[in-house]
Amino acid sequence: MTADIVPESLAEAGPIPTDESPITEARRVGPLFQPTHPLALAPVSAPPHSVDGFVREFLRELNTGQGVALSRSSVNDQYLALARTVRHYLMARWLETLKHNRSSKAKTVGYLSAEYLLGRQLGNALLATDLNDVAEKALAACGLDLPTLRAQEVEPGLGNGGLGRLAACFIDSLATMSVPCIGYGIRYEYGIFRQTFVDGRQVEQPDTWLALGGPWEFPHPEAAVEVEFGGHTETYDDNGTERTRWVASWNVLGIPYNYMVPGYQNGRVNTLRLWSAQATKAFDLAIFNSGDYAEAVRAQTFAENITKVLYPEDSTPQGKELRLQQQYFFVACSLRDFLEQNLEEDFDLHHLPERIVFQLNDTHPVIAVPELMRILVDEKKLDWDEAWAITSKCFAYTCHTLLPEALETWSVELLGRLLPRHLEIIYRINDEFLEQVREAYPEDELRARRMSIIADYPDRSVRMAFLATVAGTKVNGVAELHSQLLATKVLPDFSEFFPDKFTNVTNGVTPRRFIKLANPFLSGLITDTIGVGWVTDLDRLAELEPYAEDEDFRRAFRKAKEQNKTRLYSLLRTRDGIDLPDGHLLDVMVKRLHEYKRQTLKLLHIVTLYDQIISGRVDPTTILPRSVVFGAKAAPGYRMAKDTIALINAVAATVNADKRVGGRLSIAFPANYNVTLAEKLIPAADLSEQISLAGMEASGTGNMKFAMNGALTIGTDDGANVEIRRFVGDDNFFLFGMLEPEVAELQASGYQPSKLYEEDADLKAAIDLIASGAFSGGDRGTFEPVVSNLLYQDRFMALADYRSYLEAQEKVEKAYVNKEAWTKSAILNVARSGYFSSDRSMRDYLGRIWGASPDH
């Protein structure tokens, strides 16, 4: 079919097939809707996998969905029509999966996460349905370009960093492994924020990711869940049994939006259900007619604030309250959804742990524990012990941090005001738990105080990590070192009391998105060499290992890396106006901006190189040409992180413009780093910066993505770096820095960063150059907070690891000069990274924690 004979009108496109949608499977308020019409029970067939069939479906969507002819359509019309066309190919599989889940009654994983960093959906859906070639040919027949339409998509703004990206990887793997799973989260209207730079400083803009339409979501307002807040509790007599009820003072509705989560070419499509807040009475006509228009919609505005943005800035009391509202809102909706819409009407709740396990992805969803107890005790009228026996088997907790300040606490005052019944339940859980602690340790009241879910100092508050640990069947860290430190340093009393609860599941990432989709040049080479099975069995990458000795394969591998660099440089030129020079080592550090991740250490390295050049101590022609790319967002209220971003941009502007550097050193910081940019940047990287202070990083997942795309790591023995180094080998990893015990010893002995500054001439010169105003137009005060923080606090010991880091970078420079040896190391990184597939992580969760299995 050629473009000039493609039908333009609906009539020419042929008859419209019955368009079954999830509404036939939709949940209704009350019992499950049971369709009885024969057509409603008939299976929905997928559209044909032919080019002509795809053209027909696409034009039908363009005509009927967008209401335009091809000749009058915009790029956005074409993208939306394409997305809905591809969506049709998943629909039959989705409906069949829903039907199968209900009939099989297999145990389901309810993944509760405040973040899902999904990335663009179109490419992943084309990959899952094996439609990329068909779609490309069909669009070409219409005179359209698939990459142009793919570039039109705005990725969902539903996450911030590793936590959300991990959740997205996990639900992808569970679908690919045919494990029943419902991902539960929040449909943030504006996501976290869109990062822009003004005079080098971060400025947050709303992330309007829904502005041009959301073709991948299915709203179901008829299945709204009512969520209550505030008020008080009261006791009453229930046929001789004293019970408690919650009398709330206000409520909101949770509207579910369903997203399809397709498995990789296996016919399985799981569901991600995101909740949006809406007022129960959104508009008061009487007040509107009186002329007070703002007051008429006040309830709507108030309710919708709950799901406006990810992690509202919580330095104010209002911000803290909004965060708690957010967390309770989504777990209340999610628990209600599963209990009322996924179980039979006569289901015996005593068997609930056989049907669901709720995974608490960090502390954000932990309020689900007292919520399930409230439902079972107050609404279902179970006695307390029965309810606790059920609840304590339905949850598992993943801790993602080692930083004490990241373990969430909520003040008793706020929790009691917003969720009074839940506070009562938490108090009782704590009382009964502490009875067990005192029974086990009768002479150790201090231990009981340390383990109390309720903290008394500095303010009376609820420690959510403690609650999750008491209630969860398992508590896991996300890398071997992290899990060890979690048990021995973060929750040592609990690991001693519950020795069988603590386990490890090292994180992983999905090879579908982060190799197959993100790196077509490398994935094509892999498939040509070892076949196709590696996409769902990443251990097969080990078959590449002998090819590290093959000169032709090394040449092809380098070509793939150069193609990825060319693609990235073109994107940065178009996206950000950034020009990176060819022929440089591409040195990449992308992650959330936080002091413990130590972007300042990377910056000190850059400033040292620059100072050595401009001082004349080093001839620039003798240093390895290097381009350093940063990507990071700072939390809006995190002043030091935002100052660090400003300093990076200031150093970049100065270095890039200085002719004395001779083009040997280049720095770039593209704004608004996200999954879409990561898919281009990670495959192009030569060197992966994983330089957090040992004992601070839980795991990291960027480190895994870089390794499996052929970048070598320079890193500390921290998080999953430990396991990466063990798998890829010491010769293929640039290790530096203190080990975790050495960090602890230095902290205990009294760390003095200013002393290190005085003793190391290079370090002193670099910090003095920053302090001199060389990067701020001569203004010494601009970056004084960063300098003072390094000299007098340096909580994460960047100065202590500085010299070791520079020595490791010198090894990098020497290694990169030998192209053949570097390529061999890069190939071995790829070949030995199979362990870091999220499919392996899911197998570990299934076996060690969830007790669930694939349901084919």
Side-chain angles (χ1 to χ4, degrees):
M1 182 178 288
T2 58
D4 59 338
I5 60 169
V6 170
E8 285 265 344
S9 69
L10 175 61
E12 290 176 284
I16 304 173
T18 303
D19 181 18
E20 292 280 354
S21 78
I23 201 73
T24 58
E25 291 280 336
R27 301 161 299 117
R28 302 287 177 97
V29 176
L32 282 172
F33 172 56
Q34 299 293 339
T36 56
H37 192 284
L39 288 178
L41 297 171
V44 182
S45 57
H49 272 64
S50 66
V51 172
D52 285 357
F54 195 97
V55 169
R56 213 171 286 116
E57 292 288 327
F58 171 71
L59 290 171
R60 184 174 291 114
E61 271 300 325
L62 197 61
N63 296 160
T64 64
Q66 292 305 108
V68 294
L70 178 59
S71 60
R72 301 291 295 170
S73 61
S74 67
V75 173
N76 198 59
D77 289 326
Q78 296 157 12
Y79 159 68
L80 292 173
L82 174 60
R84 293 192 180 106
T85 301
V86 176
R87 195 175 76 171
H88 285 175
Y89 283 79
L90 290 169
M91 293 295 298
R93 305 174 191 189
W94 191 23
L95 297 177
E96 184 59 34
T97 299
L98 293 171
K99 179 181 176 183
H100 177 77
N101 287 349
R102 288 173 187 149
S103 62
S104 72
K105 301 177 184 178
K107 188 170 187 177
T108 297
V109 177
Y111 203 79
L112 298 174
S113 180
E115 296 186 39
Y116 289 93
L117 205 55
L118 300 171
R120 288 173 171 170
Q121 296 296 286
L122 176 58
N124 191 60
L126 288 169
L127 186 67
T129 52
D130 197 21
L131 275 174
N132 196 80
D133 289 345
V134 171
E136 193 164 28
K137 291 173 183 175
L139 291 173
C142 298
L144 303 176
D145 177 56
L146 177 57
T148 299
L149 300 195
R150 286 178 60 171
Q152 179 68 16
E153 181 175 1
V154 180
E155 71 173 73
L158 301 171
N160 179 27
L163 185 80
R165 187 55 244 166
L166 186 77
C169 286
F170 282 4
I171 61 175
D172 170 272
S173 283
L174 289 169
T176 296
M177 297 166 67
S178 296
V179 176
C181 172
I182 305 173
Y184 286 113
I186 300 176
R187 180 182 179 265
Y188 302 102
E189 187 177 347
Y190 293 108
I192 179 165
F193 59 81
R194 184 171 62 86
Q195 181 190 51
T196 58
F197 296 138
V198 176
D199 297 327
R201 292 194 167 270
Q202 174 178 294
V203 174
E204 299 86 24
Q205 301 287 347
D207 180 6
T208 54
W209 66 280
L210 288 165
L212 295 177
W216 301 103
E217 62 182 21
F218 296 85
H220 287 289
E222 83 291 344
V225 174
E226 192 171 286
V227 180
E228 298 183 318
F229 294 94
H232 62 276
T233 63
E234 59 186 28
T235 57
Y236 67 99
D237 180 76
D238 180 28
N239 296 322
T241 301
E242 184 181 271
R243 296 196 178 276
T244 302
R245 61 181 160 223
W246 178 19
V247 183
S249 58
W250 59 281
N251 56 32
V252 299
L253 292 177
I255 309 298
Y257 286 74
N258 292 338
Y259 283 70
M260 293 184 286
V261 182
Y264 178 72
Q265 299 179 14
N266 68 344
R268 181 92 191 189
V269 183
N270 283 343
T271 302
L272 171 63
R273 188 156 299 141
L274 304 176
W275 299 96
S276 181
Q278 191 177 98
T280 49
K281 185 180 180 183
F283 179 71
D284 192 310
L285 182 60
I287 293 177
F288 184 85
N289 286 337
S290 73
D292 193 344
Y293 306 134
E295 182 62 23
V297 294
R298 188 184 72 83
Q300 177 182 353
T301 302
F302 184 79
E304 292 179 356
N305 280 342
I306 293 175
T307 53
K308 281 288 188 213
V309 298
L310 171 66
Y311 301 151
E313 213 286 300
D314 65 348
S315 60
T316 65
Q318 297 93 327
K320 285 184 172 64
E321 183 166 346
L322 185 56
R323 278 210 189 191
L324 183 55
Q325 290 172 10
Q326 241 181 25
Q327 293 180 9
Y328 176 65
F329 165 78
F330 104 83
V331 300
C333 289
S334 303
L335 294 188
R336 182 76 63 185
D337 173 79
F338 188 83
L339 292 174
E340 295 189 355
Q341 309 302 340
N342 290 273
L343 300 174
E344 308 84 71
E345 283 189 76
D346 60 350
F347 182 79
D348 182 353
L349 288 170
H350 292 89
H351 297 290
L352 186 62
E354 299 165 23
R355 292 289 292 277
I356 186 69
V357 56
F358 289 108
Q359 186 66 34
L360 303 168
N361 193 29
D362 220 357
T363 50
H364 311 119
V366 173
I367 197 68
V369 171
E371 171 65 2
L372 182 56
M373 285 295 292
R374 186 191 67 81
I375 291 170
L376 296 177
V377 172
D378 295 358
E379 297 183 11
K380 304 300 182 182
K381 307 297 178 68
L382 274 64
D383 70 41
W384 178 271
D385 290 339
E386 285 180 299
W388 182 247
I390 295 167
T391 299
S392 60
K393 293 184 181 72
C394 283
F395 292 98
Y397 167 49
T398 300
C399 179
H400 285 276
T401 188
L402 290 167
L403 299 175
E405 63 266 30
L407 295 172
E408 273 188 321
T409 61
W410 293 110
S411 76
V412 164
E413 183 278 327
L414 172 58
L415 200 53
R417 176 162 44 84
L418 200 64
L419 302 170
R421 180 57 178 144
H422 298 75
L423 182 60
E424 292 177 353
I425 291 169
I426 291 169
Y427 269 120
R428 181 164 177 182
I429 292 171
N430 190 49
D431 288 344
E432 296 192 356
F433 169 63
L434 290 183
E435 282 183 21
Q436 299 173 31
V437 173
R438 291 184 175 109
E439 185 176 332
Y441 304 97
E443 305 300 324
D444 195 349
E445 183 59 25
L446 187 58
R447 179 187 294 263
R449 293 176 66 86
R450 288 198 310 267
M451 296 179 73
S452 175
I453 296 169
I454 309 297
D456 290 316
Y457 181 84
D459 300 302
R460 196 159 177 76
S461 58
V462 177
R463 298 188 271 211
M464 302 306 280
F466 288 18
L467 175 59
T469 303
V470 171
T473 57
K474 293 287 184 179
V475 177
N476 74 282
V478 290
E480 288 177 3
L481 177 62
H482 173 245
S483 294
Q484 174 194 330
L485 295 175
L486 180 66
T488 58
K489 294 201 169 184
V490 180
L491 298 169
D493 293 320
F494 288 91
S495 65
E496 185 179 341
F497 191 77
F498 297 119
D500 295 332
K501 274 196 183 188
F502 284 74
T503 188
N504 172 65
V505 177
T506 298
N507 284 340
V509 300
T510 169
R512 268 77 62 186
R513 182 173 289 275
F514 286 106
I515 306 180
K516 181 71 174 173
L517 190 62
N519 198 341
F521 307 114
L522 178 60
S523 62
L525 177 61
I526 295 171
T527 299
D528 290 344
T529 306
I530 65 172
V532 297
W534 63 272
V535 182
T536 53
D537 181 8
L538 205 62
D539 288 336
R540 285 199 54 197
L541 290 182
E543 296 171 31
L544 292 173
E545 189 156 339
Y547 291 92
E549 303 295 339
D550 186 301
E551 185 178 348
D552 290 338
F553 186 83
R554 291 199 301 269
R555 187 180 301 110
F557 189 91
R558 281 196 299 274
K559 181 181 177 182
K561 182 66 72 173
E562 288 305 314
Q563 288 173 309
N564 283 319
K565 286 186 178 181
T566 300
R567 182 180 64 162
L568 171 68
Y569 295 169
S570 176
L571 174 68
L572 292 179
R573 198 174 299 117
T574 303
R575 179 188 187 269
D576 303 276
I578 292 172
D579 274 304
L580 289 178
D582 293 327
H584 281 209
L585 167 80
L586 187 59
D587 180 355
V588 179
M589 186 171 191
V590 288
K591 50 189 75 252
R592 184 164 47 92
L593 204 305
H594 196 287
E595 289 169 88
Y596 89 81
K597 294 180 183 288
R598 301 203 297 191
Q599 282 90 351
T600 48
L601 179 56
K602 176 76 247 177
L603 192 60
L604 286 171
H605 171 230
I606 294 168
V607 174
T608 296
L609 290 176
Y610 179 62
D611 178 67
Q612 289 172 344
I613 292 170
I614 64 173
S615 67
R617 301 200 308 278
V618 172
D619 180 350
T621 62
T622 65
I623 71 168
L624 180 74
R626 181 192 299 252
S627 290
V628 182
V629 178
F630 290 92
K633 290 181 179 179
Y638 192 172
R639 171 69 186 277
M640 185 53 62
K642 296 179 87 167
D643 284 348
T644 302
I645 286 176
L647 178 56
I648 293 170
N649 279 323
V651 170
T654 302
V655 172
N656 293 342
D658 196 327
K659 290 183 170 47
R660 292 173 293 180
V661 175
R664 310 289 283 190
L665 184 59
S666 181
I667 303 109
F669 196 151
N672 205 48
Y673 178 71
N674 57 13
V675 177
T676 303
L677 179 55
E679 289 173 6
K680 300 293 192 298
L681 181 54
I682 290 171
D686 294 308
L687 186 66
S688 164
E689 299 274 352
Q690 309 297 330
I691 61 177
S692 54
L693 178 65
M696 291 293 114
E697 182 70 83
S699 165
T701 52
N703 47 4
M704 304 169 187
K705 297 165 197 168
F706 281 106
M708 62 178 58
N709 279 278
L712 275 60
T713 304
I714 182 168
T716 52
D717 240 11
D718 193 29
N721 287 358
V722 177
E723 288 143 287
I724 290 174
R725 184 170 64 88
R726 185 172 73 234
F727 278 98
V728 306
D730 287 337
D731 293 341
N732 307 302
F733 187 107
F734 299 98
L735 179 67
F736 78 95
M738 296 177 288
L739 302 179
E740 189 278 329
E742 295 172 314
V743 172
E745 184 180 341
L746 182 56
Q747 287 172 331
S749 66
Y751 176 52
Q752 297 179 332
S754 59
K755 185 178 179 183
L756 291 171
Y757 159 81
E758 295 290 352
E759 292 173 349
D760 190 315
D762 287 327
L763 177 59
K764 186 176 189 302
I767 292 178
D768 286 351
L769 191 61
I770 296 170
S772 72
F775 304 111
S776 52
D779 184 349
R780 292 174 173 269
T782 303
F783 298 117
E784 193 279 331
V786 178
V787 171
S788 291
N789 182 58
L790 286 171
L791 290 178
Y792 306 116
Q793 187 175 13
D794 192 22
R795 181 182 169 197
F796 299 104
M797 300 185 173
L799 304 198
D801 276 345
Y802 167 83
R803 179 49 57 186
S804 176
Y805 180 57
L806 260 60
E807 291 169 355
Q809 287 287 0
E810 289 172 3
K811 293 178 183 176
V812 168
E813 295 187 2
K814 291 176 183 176
Y816 192 71
V817 171
N818 187 336
K819 293 294 185 185
E820 294 295 339
W822 183 279
T823 305
K824 179 180 175 180
S825 288
I827 293 168
L828 292 175
N829 266 262
V830 176
R832 296 170 179 176
S833 63
Y835 178 80
F836 300 103
S837 169
S838 50
D839 299 349
R840 189 272 314 151
S841 297
M842 292 300 90
R843 289 193 294 270
D844 288 350
Y845 271 100
L846 290 167
R848 298 175 190 173
I849 297 174
W850 295 336
S853 58
D855 181 33
H856 297 284

